[in-house]
Amino acid sequence: MEFSEVWWQQILTGMVFLLFFLVSIIGNFLIIVLSTVDQHLQTPMYFFLKQLSLLDLCYISVTLPNAILDNWTHNSTISLGGCILQVFLVIFLACTEMALLTVMSYDHYVAICYPLHYEVVMNRCTCIKMASYTWFSGWISGILHTATTFSLSFRPSNIVHQFFCEIPQLLRLSCSDNYLAEVGAVAVTSALSLVCFISIALSYIHIFSTVLKMPSSGSQSKAFSTCIPHLLVVTFFLSAAAVAYLKPSANIPTVSDLLVSVLYTIVPPTVNPIIYSLRNKDMKYALQKYLNLKYFRSVTC
């Protein structure tokens, strides 16, 4: 479904979506490139930030380009195979991102609470294993939800009241009375997400208690500026997803359903580069150095 049936509102919506998409693509791509080419950014923190940027690039590309085309071409159709693939990728990438945000909170915890042991605990082998586990957990969640959702029988009506194939909206099209499989999948994912959130909260309780003991106000400010945005993004992302998947299903979808989906599918991949990296001094210095080098080479030639 499109956001509006009025043509100028469809054009405007497509332009806003395109702006979000370009900001996300440029920001995340810059982070991936800089953290790969700059030797000073070869640390565990930037390794996980690069993983997050790669996730966000894929995450926003699953839903937004199709929604932009739908608003501009008035051709709001998707094949069954495309719908299945979209459901799998959204769940896979969202669950992977939640797990990765948990790993990043642990990285912050070790860096601030045990700085002398940081390089030993967060060695390269450990970082690769932790990143692999996050991607694997998302893969399993994607398969579980996709299989349980499309094992149901659906009504002849094929109108999905959302700008992408979202599981709660697909369940409204089902004529099956047995939702136990998908309810079980949602329960498992919700439990794991709750474990992730509790782990993040505990990490930041220890982090804040350590930061408050620091004698330097500059060190406290730097630590808070790094950790508080991370905690806010996690809370925002998880809250929006919980509202979309756990609230009681209404017979008539509302505008709030669309807005909540925007909050957990479009906003996080757009603001993550700004919050995590592009406001970081090391990342800014690497970008400035790279741009100056490119300019110097062009002038020399």
Side-chain angles (χ1 to χ4, degrees):
M1 292 290 290
E2 298 165 343
F3 272 77
S4 173
E5 295 181 357
V6 182
W7 70 269
W8 67 266
Q9 292 180 352
Q10 293 175 352
I11 299 297
L12 180 61
T13 302
M15 292 177 65
V16 172
F17 277 3
L18 181 61
L19 178 62
F20 273 102
F21 185 65
L22 291 177
V23 170
S24 178
I25 291 295
I26 294 171
N28 286 298
F29 183 73
L30 278 176
I31 293 170
I32 293 173
V33 171
L34 292 175
S35 59
T36 301
V37 301
D38 195 285
Q39 295 298 321
H40 295 91
L41 301 181
Q42 306 298 316
T43 62
M45 181 181 75
Y46 291 104
F47 170 79
F48 291 124
L49 283 175
K50 181 163 66 174
Q51 297 290 317
L52 181 64
S53 294
L54 178 60
L55 264 175
D56 285 338
L57 272 177
C58 299
Y59 191 34
I60 200 168
S61 299
V62 171
T63 58
L64 210 50
N66 191 55
I68 294 171
L69 291 176
D70 287 349
N71 279 279
W72 286 352
T73 63
H74 312 293
N75 182 26
S76 304
T77 60
I78 187 171
S79 65
L80 176 61
C83 187
I84 294 173
L85 180 62
Q86 196 173 58
V87 167
F88 169 75
L89 290 175
V90 167
I91 298 297
F92 163 49
L93 295 170
C95 291
T96 302
E97 180 153 338
M98 188 64 212
L100 185 62
L101 291 173
T102 306
V103 169
M104 291 173 65
S105 71
Y106 177 74
D107 175 68
H108 291 160
Y109 163 72
V110 177
I112 294 175
C113 298
Y114 301 97
L116 298 179
H117 302 281
Y118 181 70
E119 293 185 0
V120 177
V121 175
M122 301 300 294
N123 58 69
R124 181 174 178 80
C125 181
T126 300
C127 291
I128 293 175
K129 286 182 179 179
M130 295 174 78
S132 300
Y133 293 153
T134 62
W135 286 90
F136 179 73
S137 66
W139 181 270
I140 295 299
S141 297
I143 292 176
L144 180 64
H145 281 277
T146 305
T148 53
T149 299
F150 289 96
S151 64
L152 301 174
S153 300
F154 292 92
R155 299 188 183 97
S157 173
N158 59 354
I159 299 176
V160 181
H161 293 272
Q162 190 55 271
F163 66 95
F164 67 99
C165 287
E166 187 185 49
I167 290 179
Q169 303 302 328
L170 290 172
L171 293 180
R172 288 173 176 161
L173 302 179
S174 174
C175 57
S176 300
D177 295 328
N178 186 8
Y179 292 106
L180 290 179
E182 177 55 24
V183 169
V186 171
V188 170
T189 304
S190 300
L192 293 176
S193 298
L194 181 61
V195 170
C196 289
F197 183 76
I198 292 174
S199 300
I200 293 171
L202 291 175
S203 295
Y204 281 108
I205 289 174
H206 288 289
I207 288 172
F208 292 148
S209 64
T210 302
V211 168
L212 291 175
K213 296 176 184 177
M214 292 180 177
S216 171
S217 59
S219 299
Q220 290 183 356
S221 177
K222 183 178 179 181
F224 279 126
S225 66
T226 301
C227 297
I228 290 179
H230 182 199
L231 187 59
L232 290 176
V233 168
V234 171
T235 304
F236 183 80
F237 173 71
L238 190 59
S239 300
V243 170
Y245 281 82
L246 299 181
K247 75 171 186 176
S249 178
N251 293 327
I252 302 176
T254 62
V255 177
S256 64
D257 293 327
L258 292 171
L259 295 178
V260 167
S261 297
V262 168
L263 292 180
Y264 81 87
T265 58
I266 297 176
V267 175
T270 306
V271 301
N272 278 346
I274 301 172
I275 289 178
Y276 285 110
S277 298
L278 298 182
R279 59 192 290 273
N280 182 286
K281 291 183 179 179
D282 293 335
M283 191 67 73
K284 288 180 180 178
Y285 177 75
L287 179 60
Q288 183 179 8
K289 182 175 66 174
Y290 181 73
L291 292 177
N292 288 340
L293 181 61
K294 295 290 287 185
Y295 175 76
F296 178 75
R297 286 178 177 175
S298 64
V299 171
T300 302
C301 294

